[in-house]
Amino acid sequence: MSDGLKSADIDLIQRIIPHRYPFLLVDRVVEIEGTASGVGIKNVTMNEPQFTGHFPGMPVFPGVYMVEAMAQTAAVIAGVGMDLADKKFGVYFMAIDSAKFRRKVGPGDQLRMHVETIRGGGKVWKFRGKATVEGEVACECEFTAMMDVPK
């Protein structure tokens, strides 16, 4: 990456956040700009367990999973920006605001989570997220999280 931008592959992601299959919802984070912003990628595949029940015969990626994918992306951005790989650090939802779901997402889609930090640096962080598929908005919201960062 150029211009000081960083990225996180699946190995680094797993060194930052504790999520694992089937709840690890980000495959890569690209274009990480400090703790300010980044873009996460989630490749949606038919073999994911939620599709057996949501909805059989018409698989739809749950909207709450899109919000969670954006939150995981935000945690990776903060973790990379603050050099927290291999340190125990937790991120917990405090609020989800103005969530809107605009497009159905299903197997074969690549979800791109565009996340920017509205407020950060202390224990309470606020983010704005927008998830897109092929440039079309699927979900957008703002969310607040508490960061439990080691000293």
Side-chain angles (χ1 to χ4, degrees), residues 107-138:
D109 287 336
Q110 183 180 75
L111 199 60
R112 293 180 67 86
M113 289 80 62
H114 305 262
V115 177
E116 64 179 293
T117 303
I118 298 170
R119 181 181 68 240
K123 266 195 162 311
V124 178
W125 291 55
K126 187 163 186 169
F127 302 94
R128 178 176 298 117
K130 178 172 58 175
T132 64
V133 175
E134 295 179 2
E136 191 177 342
V137 176

Side-chain angles (χ1 to χ4, degrees), residues 83-143:
D83 196 26
L84 295 175
D86 302 317
K87 298 182 174 111
K88 288 195 180 268
F89 116 91
V91 182
Y92 308 97
F93 271 126
M94 294 177 71
I96 300 168
D97 300 307
S98 305
K100 293 182 176 67
F101 303 95
R102 309 224 183 253
R103 180 196 194 280
K104 184 173 74 169
V105 175
D109 287 336
Q110 183 180 75
L111 199 60
R112 293 180 67 86
M113 289 80 62
H114 305 262
V115 177
E116 64 179 293
T117 303
I118 298 170
R119 181 181 68 240
K123 266 195 162 311
V124 178
W125 291 55
K126 187 163 186 169
F127 302 94
R128 178 176 298 117
K130 178 172 58 175
T132 64
V133 175
E134 295 179 2
E136 191 177 342
V137 176
C139 173
E140 56 190 333
C141 69
E142 290 185 359
F143 51 97

Side-chain angles (χ1 to χ4, degrees), residues 13 25-30 39-43 73 110-113:
I13 290 167
L25 300 175
V26 60
D27 297 317
R28 175 176 294 277
V29 182
V30 296
V39 178
I41 296 172
K42 162 68 176 143
N43 294 303
T73 299
Q110 183 180 75
L111 199 60
R112 293 180 67 86
M113 289 80 62

